[in-house]
Amino acid sequence: MSSSLDQLCVNTIRTLSMDAVQKANSGHPGMPMGMADVSYILWTKFLKHNPKNPNWADRDRFILSAGHGSMLIYSLLHLTGYDVSLEDIKNFRQMGSITAGHPESHLTPGVEMTTGPLGQGFATGVGMAMAEHFLAGKFNKPNAHIVDHYTYAIVSDGDLMEGISHEAASLAGHLKLGKMIYLYDANSISIDGSTDLAFTEDPVKRFESYGWHVQEIDGHNHEQIESAIQSAKAETSKPSIVICRTHIGFGSPNKQDSASSHGSPLGEEEIRLTKENLGWVSDEPFFIPEEALAVYRGEVEKGAKSEADWNALFDSYSKQHAELAALFTQWINRELPSNLEELLPVFEADAKGVASRGASGTVLNALKDGVSNLFGGSADLEGSVKTNLKDEGRFVLDGPTGRNVHYGVREHGMAAALNGMALHGGMIPYGGTFFVFTDYCRPSIRLAGLMQTPSIYVMTHDSIGLGEDGPTHQPVEHLASLRAMPNVLVLRPGDANEVSHAWKVAIEHSTGPSIIVLTRQNIPTFERNDANSASLTAKGAYVLADSDKETPDAILMGSGSEVHLAMEAKAKLAEKGLDVRVVSMPCWELFEQQDADYIESVLPTAVTNRVSIEAGSTFGWQRWIGNTGIAIGIDTFGESAPYEELYQHFGITSDRAVEAVLQQAK
């Protein structure tokens, strides 16, 4: 079934993995040992990649969704010639090492995405396959397929148990993503023991019902592995899953097929016995036979040739399709129009105003031609969250170049797919749902922050202002909780023009995700001038309406739909002889990035009479209002009633803001 050299190559993965976990005294050796055969065949016979250029545009994408088995991918990366040294392998899970406990895409060359939370890799890969399908439809020409690659993933029993895998698998089958091939490590072991404890479904029937191409093989039989991947590649109208029946901890005399090899080192004596059982050639830890290394390092030459062939193809393509080639390069490099700000709609001052969700829809459609790789949809809420790009078609349903996606009621899967598209490159993806359902999107948003991935999440119905749907849909704690998440921009614009510039910020932001938080109810559109230009949204906070005094009597601050309440309070306080400043704070994270002089110019330390007003949790506002300031908000769940009544009931009013200022002025 395989040559002695093949077995030497496979066992090199096994021994490197068990040695690294043992040295770290931490990790998961069993999965890399069990999937060594499958990964060896995939990486040396099928995977199109260039170890010396991990970011080559037309490479195949490989995801280790079972990220706990990270030594599998680290072994493969080192052996095939990526910039992952043997010293890096020896420093597995140590401070400052690029071989972290779970693979991190921003840290390690060749790692396509950060995995670890099970199911995330499975779902993110769907987004990568969507990106490949869209870009291929946009740019490929007969005899010039410049976008022609696969998304591969190794997934585990745990991935398939997680709920997100159901959403993602259903979506992938519906979209008929034929260039997506998942290799399922079906070893029937999880941390608690046999998967029979909790997981007894039939994966063949499950994935066939989703519309997938399904095969079941012996995951240690090289002929079956190779044949299954070839069959999967031949199926172009369905995603494929190959159920690989494997033995976790393969070769370990006492720990194979047991939970004890899942998440703990084998132990020095068991490693000795395992190497003996495998017929290993050396007792030296981290030993790599030259014959095996030569096989793996053959990927360097193969990869260089694959990229060179593609470069030649693209050069020919550029001569025949110059405009498309230039556009492809712009998209892949995330180059934006130089006149992006000129594309933004400008909204006239209007006391009645517009819901910021409606303004967002207007902005998207104003940008769609100039930023032609904007691509988005919603979780069955298109009419409510205003994400539709007019006349741009529906992805797959109207063809591969449709720019509107119907994700169905799959918020969790949608959020991960956005990350996959952003990681793939060439697209600026966004997805919309109600703000309260960030609870379903949170794991993907958090990973986007960690991976520095520029996904855009459009979240509407942002407060008790949504009204009668009641507390199940009223997100009172969500602003505070998302502001606590590192490397995430939370943008809550205070009027339509701030919405325009919030979109500009999100599109230009390339090192992390952005969440644009929008209202259901109308809010006024403010008068603008150079001093309070909506372009100042990019600074996170700015003076919307100033005091005539050098030192204001007080500062009123807020975000989103409550900024106009601060403006109303300013007028009422003027009648009482107090001259106050109003500060709009659409994005705390951006404001925190400004220099000390700018922050002082907006929030002078001399002014301690401060009031914040926001229809959400007051948690965190003390940072801006100080210990003596007053935060107006809602620290309970909401109620079901018209939104005007709710604002009165919970005391989120201009009158309450006036009282708070007067209370501090005594």
Side-chain angles (χ1 to χ4, degrees):
M1 291 187 299
S2 60
S3 70
S4 58
L5 180 56
D6 288 331
Q7 285 304 315
L8 188 70
C9 290
V10 169
N11 288 336
T12 301
I13 294 173
R14 292 184 173 123
T15 56
L16 275 179
S17 297
M18 67 176 83
D19 285 343
V21 170
Q22 186 64 39
K23 184 174 185 295
N25 196 29
S26 174
H28 301 73
M31 181 270 179
M33 296 167 70
M35 284 298 280
D37 292 288
V38 173
S39 58
Y40 166 67
I41 296 297
L42 174 64
W43 276 61
T44 61
K45 294 184 181 296
F46 292 98
L47 194 69
K48 182 175 69 172
H49 63 131
N50 184 358
K52 298 308 177 186
N53 183 10
N55 297 318
W56 167 39
D58 199 43
R59 70 193 182 278
D60 289 337
R61 271 59 170 182
F62 171 78
I63 299 170
L64 183 67
S65 188
H68 56 275
S70 56
M71 268 312 305
L72 177 64
I73 193 168
Y74 297 148
S75 298
L76 290 163
L77 291 172
H78 170 67
L79 291 169
T80 57
Y82 285 81
D83 192 14
V84 177
S85 69
L86 189 58
E87 195 63 27
D88 293 323
I89 299 290
K90 292 178 180 179
N91 285 325
F92 177 55
R93 288 188 165 222
Q94 303 308 300
M95 180 70 73
S97 172
I98 64 170
T99 50
H102 292 81
E104 297 184 29
S105 56
H106 66 287
L107 188 66
T108 311
V111 172
E112 296 285 358
M113 73 162 291
T114 298
T115 52
L118 290 173
Q120 281 289 328
F122 188 111
T124 303
V126 174
M128 291 185 180
M130 290 171 67
E132 194 278 342
H133 193 58
F134 174 76
L135 295 171
K138 175 72 176 179
F139 292 104
N140 285 355
K141 296 294 181 183
N143 302 318
H145 287 194
I146 62 168
V147 180
D148 187 13
H149 54 267
Y150 288 82
T151 300
Y152 294 99
I154 288 178
V155 304
S156 65
D157 292 305
D159 287 295
L160 267 60
M161 288 188 226
E162 289 286 359
I164 191 173
S165 74
H166 296 260
E167 293 186 20
S170 175
L171 178 64
H174 168 71
L175 295 176
K176 304 182 187 303
L177 299 174
K179 300 187 82 170
M180 197 175 92
I181 300 173
Y182 283 6
L183 302 157
Y184 167 26
D185 177 22
N187 62 40
S188 301
I189 294 292
S190 61
I191 290 175
D192 281 350
S194 169
T195 53
D196 286 343
L197 292 167
F199 186 56
T200 52
E201 66 193 41
D202 184 336
V204 174
K205 291 179 180 177
R206 172 182 165 185
F207 280 88
E208 285 179 344
S209 75
Y210 290 142
W212 286 51
H213 175 236
V214 184
Q215 301 172 81
E216 191 167 7
I217 64 168
D218 176 351
H220 303 295
N221 183 311
H222 290 195
E223 291 178 358
Q224 289 187 25
I225 297 165
E226 186 169 351
S227 176
I229 296 174
Q230 287 172 339
S231 295
K233 292 185 71 172
E235 173 54 72
T236 59
S237 62
K238 295 180 179 180
S240 291
I241 188 165
V242 180
I243 301 169
C244 307
R245 297 296 176 183
T246 63
H247 297 282
I248 192 171
F250 184 95
S252 172
N254 300 300
K255 296 190 176 184
Q256 178 176 307
D257 296 327
S258 71
S260 61
S261 70
H262 185 289
S264 301
L266 297 181
E268 291 183 2
E269 177 60 16
E270 188 66 16
I271 287 176
R272 185 187 69 78
L273 293 172
T274 302
K275 289 180 177 179
E276 183 178 290
N277 190 40
L278 292 172
W280 190 237
V281 293
S282 174
D283 293 330
E284 179 187 346
F286 302 100
F287 178 76
I288 300 175
E290 290 184 8
E291 309 96 302
L293 187 61
V295 172
Y296 284 113
R297 290 292 163 90
E299 293 302 300
V300 173
E301 184 177 347
K302 283 166 57 179
K305 183 179 185 306
S306 293
E307 184 173 357
D309 289 346
W310 183 85
N311 287 337
L313 176 67
F314 188 73
D315 184 59
S316 173
Y317 176 91
S318 299
K319 293 172 182 174
Q320 298 178 59
H321 311 285
E323 289 186 8
L324 277 177
L327 186 64
F328 178 80
T329 301
Q330 290 167 16
W331 284 15
I332 291 297
N333 293 334
R334 200 180 168 83
E335 295 173 7
L336 299 173
S338 58
N339 65 336
L340 182 60
E341 186 159 353
E342 295 172 16
L343 300 176
L344 298 175
V346 176
F347 297 86
E348 295 297 323
D350 182 358
K352 180 182 177 182
V354 63
S356 57
R357 62 170 174 158
S360 175
T362 300
V363 174
L364 273 172
N365 280 282
L367 292 173
K368 71 180 178 67
D369 293 333
V371 188
S372 54
N373 54 344
L374 267 175
F375 179 97
S378 74
D380 198 48
L381 291 167
E382 184 178 272
S384 292
V385 299
K386 312 298 183 187
T387 52
N388 181 257
L389 299 176
K390 295 175 183 176
D391 304 318
E392 290 297 332
R394 299 168 298 173
F395 179 63
V396 175
L397 296 176
D398 294 328
T401 58
R403 292 168 64 187
N404 295 291
V405 188
H406 290 276
Y407 286 101
V409 188
R410 301 185 183 100
E411 293 91 351
H412 203 348
M414 175 185 71
L418 296 182
N419 290 347
M421 286 180 268
L423 286 165
H424 180 281
M427 303 171 74
I428 298 177
Y430 64 89
T433 186
F434 292 167
F435 190 36
V436 75
F437 298 134
T438 52
D439 286 338
Y440 290 166
C441 304
R442 189 176 301 270
S444 299
I445 294 172
R446 184 177 187 274
L447 269 190
L450 179 58
M451 295 187 292
Q452 303 172 17
T453 303
S455 304
I456 302 175
Y457 303 93
V458 182
M459 301 294 177
T460 72
H461 296 59
D462 67 347
S463 71
I464 58 169
L466 65 90
E468 292 87 344
D469 274 342
T472 61
H473 281 54
Q474 292 168 1
V476 295
E477 77 277 24
H478 295 65
L479 282 166
S481 64
L482 289 165
R483 284 167 176 159
M485 195 176 285
N487 198 38
V488 176
L489 293 186
V490 181
L491 295 139
R492 189 172 186 245
D495 78 344
N497 288 304
E498 280 192 12
V499 172
S500 278
H501 286 274
W503 268 106
K504 180 175 182 287
V505 166
I507 289 170
E508 290 180 335
H509 185 56
S510 62
T511 57
S514 302
I515 305 174
I516 303 177
V517 184
L518 304 165
T519 68
R520 175 180 184 265
Q521 74 275 24
N522 286 359
I523 54 177
T525 305
F526 303 121
E527 292 277 0
R528 298 286 176 177
N529 54 49
D530 290 344
N532 70 354
S533 168
S535 64
L536 292 167
T537 298
K539 290 186 175 292
Y542 63 97
V543 178
L544 178 64
D546 210 354
S547 162
D548 289 331
K549 295 183 177 180
E550 184 174 346
T551 302
D553 293 321
I555 298 175
L556 297 167
M557 61 189 86
S559 77
S561 50
E562 289 68 65
V563 175
H564 83 93
L565 297 178
M567 293 289 280
E568 289 177 6
K570 174 180 170 62
K572 291 177 180 180
L573 285 163
E575 295 175 359
K576 298 180 182 295
L578 293 175
D579 196 355
V580 305
R581 170 180 289 184
V582 174
V583 172
S584 178
M585 299 190 72
C587 184
W588 290 13
E589 297 79 21
L590 289 172
F591 190 49
E592 290 165 357
Q593 293 171 18
Q594 306 309 309
D595 60 39
D597 288 344
Y598 181 77
I599 293 173
E600 175 67 17
S601 73
V602 175
L603 299 177
T605 53
V607 183
T608 58
N609 188 334
R610 299 183 181 191
V611 176
S612 66
I613 183 165
E614 188 172 68
S617 168
T618 61
F619 186 84
W621 272 105
Q622 279 67 31
R623 178 167 191 175
W624 308 114
I625 62 175
N627 293 331
T628 60
I630 295 174
I632 298 170
I634 174 170
D635 292 313
T636 66
F637 291 114
E639 298 278 355
S640 178
Y643 80 89
E644 298 92 341
E645 294 179 26
L646 290 171
Y647 272 79
Q648 289 293 326
H649 175 74
F650 288 106
I652 304 173
T653 65
S654 58
D655 288 340
R656 176 69 187 100
V658 169
E659 292 172 10
V661 169
L662 295 176
Q663 180 180 333
Q664 294 177 79
K666 291 180 181 177

